[in-house]
Amino acid sequence: MISKIDKNADRRIRHARVRKKVYGTCLRPRFNVYRSTRYIYVQLIDDVNGKTMVAANSLQMAKELKGKTKCEQARAVGLAAGKLALEKGITEVVFDRGGYIYTGRVKEVAEGAREAGLKF
């Protein structure tokens, strides 16, 4: 019998491996990316206090992103998260790709945040 590969379980293992090294502080929070099949979510997390400092996602921005491709939406979400972070005085972040490969939508989010002025 053929068993289907659980790609999300593999991703969680990769994410746990990355999280051993990547740690966010209040001065340099963790820029976390979660990618679902339809939307993309970004959070800036202070791991010391366990608080989310900034959050942005394509679900909340659905009206203004209508008609754009998923990659264009991802860049817009990264740009929005970057602008919100700069408003809160955050200029540097640690990028946490969430176990995903750094390509496609994950890369676009990072480039959008860099475009807004965040340093990785």
Side-chain angles (χ1 to χ4, degrees):
M1 181 147 123
I2 299 172
S3 61
K4 188 174 179 184
I5 298 169
D6 188 359
K7 292 181 181 180
N8 200 38
D10 290 344
R11 181 195 68 82
R12 280 193 226 118
I13 291 167
R14 282 192 307 272
H15 190 208
R17 189 168 51 233
V18 169
R19 285 285 290 120
K20 283 184 210 172
K21 299 172 188 166
V22 176
Y23 192 76
T25 63
C26 61
L27 297 175
R28 195 168 179 196
R30 179 167 52 97
F31 189 91
N32 185 34
V33 177
Y34 174 72
R35 188 191 72 186
S36 74
T37 54
R38 191 167 176 188
Y39 302 110
I40 193 143
Y41 304 84
V42 171
Q43 290 183 322
L44 270 71
I45 302 167
D46 174 9
D47 289 317
V48 174
N49 298 318
K51 303 253 180 188
T52 299
M53 302 168 84
V54 173
N57 61 63
S58 58
L59 179 59
Q60 290 177 336
M61 301 170 62
K63 287 184 182 177
E64 58 195 75
L65 297 175
K66 192 170 186 174
K68 292 188 176 183
T69 65
K70 288 182 187 178
C71 282
E72 291 169 341
Q73 290 178 9
R75 183 179 280 263
V77 169
L79 192 63
K83 287 179 182 176
L84 288 170
L86 290 174
E87 286 175 10
K88 292 216 173 186
I90 301 166
T91 56
E92 289 190 13
V93 295
V94 181
F95 190 68
D96 175 13
R97 58 190 175 87
Y100 302 108
I101 299 168
Y102 186 79
T103 186
R105 291 195 282 158
V106 176
K107 184 178 179 183
E108 290 295 325
V109 167
E111 288 177 0
R114 283 191 188 103
E115 195 177 302
L118 285 181
K119 293 179 185 167
F120 286 63

